[in-house]
Amino acid sequence: ASNNCITCVAGTYAISGSGKCSQCVAGKYSYSGDSVCTDCPWGTYADVAGSSTCTSCPTGKSNDEEGMPKCPDCVAGRFADRRGQWFCGICPRGSYSHPEQITCMRCPPGTYNNQYEQSVCPACPAGTVTDKKGQKQCVACDIGTYSETATTCTACPLGKYAPSTGTASCIYCPAGKYNNALQQSECKDCDAGMYSKPLSTPCTPCA
């Protein structure tokens, strides 16, 4: 009797006695002469049938399962900066990322992030600021100042004051009081024989 056995090429397999070679399905691979296909290991994939090798997951993707035909994208708030990752890393506080991100980005000035694994950095609330990248929390403006933008505290102008920290806008001096200096936490009483109207900066002599 003649020997009609053939050796299956890489990417295919044959069950004993079947007499034919079949392609490995996507997510599996085989070497020449294998009788079974093997699952691609973690961090790799095979996206076509008949694969002889598995490919490392690209950056921005990961794979924590065997036998996968593709590597899922890292979700927002996570990252993968190297090929062949089993899992996506978590962005630390003060940073964020979009889907399929290679690295986390630091929160820009005027924003913050006090949570891990975030996709956006919220703007600083009124009366607070950050003037650097990658901040975990915003800083309250000092008394006598207010936040015109989320990056800078500004001194209260003449005729206005801010009595507490974290002020979003300065308050006009009430009637009978004045303020002739910048960055004040309170208004002064008009001198005897003087008066002022609301929203007025200087005191005026009584008629």
Side-chain angles (χ1 to χ4, degrees):
S2 61
N3 186 352
N4 294 323
C5 293
I6 60 171
T7 300
C8 291
V9 298
T12 66
Y13 72 103
I15 300 173
S16 178
S18 66
K20 65 175 183 178
C21 299
S22 301
Q23 279 193 331
C24 295
V25 298
K28 295 177 180 285
Y29 71 100
S30 73
Y31 299 127
S32 177
D34 282 354
S35 60
V36 295
C37 298
T38 304
D39 287 339
C40 289
W42 293 354
T44 68
Y45 72 103
D47 58 354
V48 295
S51 293
S52 59
T53 59
C54 300
T55 305
S56 295
C57 293
T59 56
K61 299 175 184 287
S62 71
N63 189 0
D64 62 357
E65 296 183 37
E66 295 179 333
M68 295 295 287
K70 65 178 182 177
C71 298
D73 294 341
C74 292
V75 298
R78 289 178 172 258
F79 72 100
D81 57 358
R82 290 178 295 173
R83 294 175 57 85
Q85 294 295 291
W86 295 0
F87 59 89
C88 298
I90 295 175
C91 290
R93 293 181 296 173
S95 69
Y96 70 103
S97 78
H98 300 307
E100 202 177 348
Q101 200 76 43
I102 296 174
T103 60
C104 300
M105 296 172 286
R106 291 190 295 168
C107 294
T111 68
Y112 73 105
N113 212 330
N114 58 7
Q115 302 289 326
Y116 293 94
E117 198 174 345
Q118 297 299 301
S119 60
V120 295
C121 296
C124 289
T128 65
V129 298
T130 58
D131 60 357
K132 298 176 182 177
K133 291 182 177 180
Q135 298 303 295
K136 301 173 186 175
Q137 61 184 12
C138 301
V139 179
C141 291
D142 291 334
I143 58 174
T145 69
Y146 71 104
S147 62
E148 190 170 27
T149 68
T151 57
T152 307
C153 295
T154 303
C156 290
L158 304 181
K160 291 185 175 183
Y161 70 106
S164 60
T165 60
T167 298
S169 59
C170 301
I171 306 168
Y172 280 101
C173 291
K177 293 181 178 289
Y178 75 102
N179 203 335
N180 61 355
L182 302 175
Q183 198 170 333
Q184 297 301 299
S185 61
E186 59 184 2
C187 297
K188 303 172 185 177
D189 292 327
C190 290
D191 293 335
M194 307 284 283
Y195 77 99
S196 72
K197 297 178 181 179
L199 315 186
S200 179
T201 300
C203 294
T204 304
C206 298

